[in-house]
Amino acid sequence: MSDTIIRGMLCDRSIRFTAICGTELVKEAQKTHTLSRVATAALGRQLLMTSMAASDLKNPTDSLTTVIAGNGPAGNLVCVGRYGGLVKGYATNPEVELPLREDGKLDVGGYVGHQGKLTLIRDLGMREPYVGLCNLVSGEIAEDFAQYFTASEQQPSLVYLGVREKADIGEVIGAGGILIQPMPGCPEEAIARIEKHAAGITRLTELLSESHSLQEALEMLLSDLQLERTEQLQPQYLCDCTRDRLERALLSIGEAELQDILEHEGEAELTCQFCLKRYRFDRNDLETLLRAAKG
């Protein structure tokens, strides 16, 4: 099934939702970074949430960055979402694997860490980007984002994120998520109806792994809540790095540092953290950049 984002309304348009099927984009992240099983689950969940949040961006130049810095062995998990739900991400330590929890599930909280910070940065082309943060609740990603929206943006939210993998080989067979938020003036009755569906919503990834489309899964889970679809997008794991951007990164280190690299190394090679593409700058390239830095 192709990756899809569906945005819409529930309960007589008193509640809005964003849902995602992101199986292919999580597979791409797993392949790009050679993620362990637990790292696939952790970074996959964050990619799903970042893509859903980015689907709310209004302009192609806008971006949204989420950073999870916990006290677990993962290090930092960084994701960047762009207009249309495009997303990229990486984990500092993608190869770390942990034993399963006692209930047989992947120990995402142990990998991320139960203490730390979740930071969300919205760059909307203003003078300064908006930066919000909150403490991690569990390191399980979904609970942490729910806490962020409630505490930092005063927007009570129900968040579900899931990545299913084959137990023997770690192949991703389903990845999905949903973000549900009441609109201003939402009646308590509508919120109570959503709360009754909270447990059932956790079946979303299971349904996607059984080859149901996102639309079919939503109808099975939310059909009695006056489900109304308002927009559909096609998310994708896609890095937007360019040689020009890496040149600007080299320029940013300053004239003295560039001169030192030129004298002692004679060349430089930079690797994009999001797609691992390598960019080589030879002596002529560095001399050109050095002249630009002096200018």
Side-chain angles (χ1 to χ4, degrees):
M1 307 304 296
S2 62
D3 286 353
T4 309
I5 288 177
I6 293 177
R7 294 159 57 86
M9 308 297 292
L10 300 169
C11 300
D12 197 24
R13 301 182 67 84
S14 64
I15 293 175
R16 71 171 186 167
F17 77 87
T18 303
I20 185 172
C21 171
T23 305
E24 296 304 318
L25 71 84
V26 175
K27 282 184 179 180
E28 185 64 26
Q30 183 186 53
K31 176 183 176 182
T32 298
H33 296 289
T34 319
L35 299 171
S36 69
R37 290 181 60 203
V38 71
T40 299
L43 186 63
R45 293 178 189 180
Q46 187 177 348
L47 286 166
L48 294 169
M49 183 66 253
T50 305
S51 181
M52 286 195 291
S55 72
D56 205 29
L57 297 175
K58 306 304 182 189
N59 300 301
T61 55
D62 296 346
S63 68
L64 181 146
T65 301
T66 64
V67 181
I68 296 179
N71 63 345
N76 291 344
L77 283 78
V78 181
C79 295
V80 178
R82 308 191 304 283
Y83 181 76
L86 302 180
V87 70
K88 60 183 181 180
Y90 70 88
T92 304
N93 298 309
E95 75 290 344
V96 172
E97 190 62 277
L98 296 179
L100 298 177
R101 302 185 324 199
E102 291 183 358
D103 60 4
K105 296 183 178 181
L106 293 168
D107 190 5
V108 172
Y111 175 68
V112 173
H114 305 297
Q115 297 180 336
K117 298 288 185 182
L118 164 59
T119 304
L120 190 149
I121 305 164
R122 286 189 176 90
D123 188 346
L124 307 179
M126 312 286 282
R127 180 174 299 178
E128 296 290 339
Y130 168 82
V131 180
L133 60 89
C134 74
N135 293 323
L136 295 181
V137 176
S138 65
E140 293 287 336
I141 313 295
E143 294 176 348
D144 302 300
F145 274 103
Q147 170 68 11
Y148 170 82
F149 288 120
T150 300
S152 296
E153 300 193 358
Q154 291 75 53
Q155 176 64 73
S157 304
L158 186 156
V159 180
Y160 165 75
L161 304 166
V163 176
R164 288 173 67 91
E165 304 174 53
K166 287 186 177 180
D168 52 350
I169 58 176
E171 178 188 355
V172 177
I173 57 175
I178 188 165
L179 170 66
I180 299 178
Q181 299 174 316
M183 301 292 286
C186 176
E188 290 296 327
E189 178 186 357
I191 295 175
R193 292 177 66 189
I194 292 295
E195 290 174 345
K196 289 181 180 179
H197 284 71
I201 287 171
T202 62
R203 294 184 55 228
L204 175 61
T205 304
E206 176 186 350
L207 294 173
L208 296 176
S209 68
E210 294 173 351
S211 297
H212 291 285
S213 69
L214 180 59
Q215 180 67 32
E216 291 170 344
L218 291 175
E219 290 174 352
M220 295 170 71
L221 297 173
L222 304 173
S223 60
D224 61 334
L225 295 177
Q226 297 165 287
L227 176 69
E228 178 184 344
R229 186 175 70 177
T230 59
E231 186 177 14
Q232 182 167 321
L233 303 169
Q234 187 171 2
Q236 185 181 0
Y237 188 96
L238 183 66
C239 185
D240 58 344
C241 69
T242 63
R243 186 176 180 85
D244 286 345
R245 184 170 296 179
L246 272 294
E247 285 181 353
R248 291 196 296 272
L250 279 173
L251 279 171
S252 70
I253 67 176
E255 179 184 341
E257 188 69 22
L258 273 173
Q259 184 70 52
D260 185 71
I261 294 174
L262 188 59
E263 292 178 358
H264 293 90
E265 304 295 335
E267 62 179 14
E269 184 176 88
L270 301 184
T271 301
C272 174
Q273 291 178 294
F274 295 100
C275 67
L276 304 186
K277 183 177 180 180
R278 296 179 179 181
Y279 294 85
R280 182 176 177 273
F281 297 86
D282 61 21
R283 178 173 292 276
N284 288 335
D285 296 326
L286 292 179
E287 289 175 346
T288 300
L289 289 172
L290 183 60
R291 286 195 295 271
K294 290 179 177 179

